[in-house]
Amino acid sequence: MALFVALDSGGTKTLCLVVDGEGRLVGSGSGGGANPNLVGEVTARESVRRAVEQAWARAIAQGHGHDGGPVWAALSGPSTAEAESILREVTGATTVQRISESEAAWAGVRPWIGREYDLPLDIVITVDAGTGSTASGRNRAGDRVTVGGWGWLLGDEGGGFWVGLQGVRAAVYGEDGRGEPTQLAEAIRRTLGLSRLWELVPMVYGSAEGRQRIASLAPVVADVARAGDVVARGILGDAGRQLGTMVVAVVQRLHLEDEAFAVVMFGSVFKAGPALLGAFRSTVSEAAHRAVPVVARYESVVGTLVSAMACAGVDAAEVWPRLEADLAATPRVLVA
């Protein structure tokens, strides 16, 4: 029986799934961040290997992968040749397809969005707000546009690193008396185990993990915002507008102002709450009043899996009820 393997790597986590030809989830694995630009090549390689080996070992334990049947694989994220090599080495895959994160996001919603929303499937914009940020779209004519994705130093506005960085800056400004008082300082100090905020300096500038630690503070900003902190709520509102502005740029370049279509939101930042979501939806609706923001139900790895199946000529919609039941029992692949 054929097996399908999906690998999705990001700035903070890596996920791998193994599914058989009947849509049964027979293996899953996870690792840390695998974006070499954020965590370095060694850590990225270790994260990929950990996720793939864990998922494949679970598939083997269930009696799969021994019969020499075909293995079709797909990978998304900041994929490297080394990640592909690990996939081939561990699983024996002879076919490995690389797809973009936007393609993975859209593939992951197609099996269910068509039946739950009265929207066309040939027009879509996807927005990724994980550690970084990017927006991609296509129109009915097949034209494609990508905005953002410039990385933590040149862009990634509205992404997890950006939100964490704004939170740290607000805490520092409040400490200096240059900004409004905020609970962010205490929350960040407590989360990072600091006795005083000044200890951020060697942590950020003297550690290879400085960027990751800043990105990890995005949920802290969200928690402080939910507790009513005005400064934190303002950061999330700005993040929502930044992400919305990327969508607006895609809308304008693809001339979608009067079209009805889905704006698929995926990535951990979209869990931040109403302050971000409200600003995002408001910004999008001003440019595309018929656009319908839709929160992705699953992590991008599910779309990567659908793409692996499509590469083998298998329509995931045919096995979706079985697969969806297994995915619902696998919390790590659920977005919310």
Side-chain angles (χ1 to χ4, degrees):
M1 180 181 291
L3 291 177
F4 305 97
V5 183
L7 174 69
D8 179 75
S9 55
T12 56
K13 67 177 179 292
T14 302
L15 296 174
C16 183
L17 300 178
V18 183
V19 168
D20 68 16
E22 296 179 357
R24 287 187 293 256
L25 180 61
V26 298
S28 64
S30 63
N35 185 336
N37 295 324
L38 282 174
V39 302
E41 292 185 3
V42 173
T43 299
R45 181 170 59 250
E46 291 174 349
S47 296
V48 168
R49 181 169 290 278
R50 186 180 305 118
V52 175
E53 289 184 344
Q54 188 180 92
W56 192 247
R58 289 173 174 169
I60 293 292
Q62 294 192 47
H64 298 275
H66 293 293
D67 58 1
V71 178
W72 302 79
L75 57 90
S76 58
S79 306
T80 63
E82 206 156 14
E84 180 177 338
S85 176
I86 291 171
L87 262 178
R88 293 183 185 274
E89 172 198 336
V90 175
T91 70
T94 55
T95 301
V96 179
Q97 181 186 27
R98 298 193 194 191
I99 65 172
S100 69
E101 289 180 281
S102 61
E103 290 174 316
W106 180 230
V109 302
R110 282 182 67 95
W112 58 268
I113 200 172
R115 71 173 185 259
E116 297 183 18
Y117 293 86
D118 185 22
L119 293 169
L121 296 180
D122 55 352
I123 306 173
V124 66
I125 293 179
T126 60
V127 191
D128 175 9
T131 304
S133 64
T134 186
S136 299
R138 68 166 179 263
N139 60 19
R140 191 167 278 118
D143 301 319
R144 296 172 181 264
V145 165
T146 296
V147 170
W150 292 97
W152 65 276
L153 187 59
L154 299 179
D156 279 351
E157 296 87 353
F161 176 84
W162 186 91
V163 171
L165 181 60
Q166 303 313 307
V168 170
R169 284 176 171 167
V172 168
Y173 291 168
E175 184 89 348
D176 280 351
R178 291 183 287 157
E180 297 180 48
T182 173
Q183 293 301 311
L184 284 167
E186 172 60 21
I188 289 171
R189 189 191 62 75
R190 185 172 60 250
T191 299
L192 297 179
L194 309 177
S195 59
R196 57 197 187 104
L197 212 56
W198 266 104
E199 293 173 21
L200 275 168
V201 175
M203 179 178 290
V204 170
Y205 295 110
S207 168
E209 299 177 349
R211 284 174 288 180
Q212 269 190 298
R213 292 196 175 188
I214 290 175
S216 73
L217 294 173
V220 176
V221 177
D223 289 342
V224 173
R226 292 188 193 98
D229 188 90
V230 174
V231 174
R233 284 209 309 262
I235 291 172
L236 294 185
D238 288 343
R241 282 183 285 275
Q242 292 283 358
L243 295 169
T245 298
M246 290 199 297
V247 174
V248 172
V250 175
V251 166
Q252 293 173 341
R253 290 175 62 182
L254 291 177
H255 309 292
L256 299 176
E257 290 87 349
D258 297 320
E259 297 280 3
F261 59 91
V263 178
V264 181
M265 302 176 284
F266 67 104
S268 57
V269 171
F270 282 115
K271 300 177 185 178
L276 184 146
L277 292 174
F280 174 79
R281 289 179 170 128
S282 176
T283 303
V284 171
S285 66
E286 289 178 6
H289 62 97
R290 299 180 66 197
V292 180
V294 177
V295 178
R297 186 173 295 168
Y298 303 105
E299 297 281 0
S300 297
V301 69
V302 174
T304 309
L305 175 64
V306 171
S307 297
M309 299 176 81
C311 187
V314 176
D315 184 358
E318 296 178 1
V319 297
W320 189 253
R322 175 58 189 266
L323 177 58
E324 192 167 37
D326 287 353
L327 291 173
T330 311
R332 70 178 61 163
V333 305
L334 300 177
V335 170

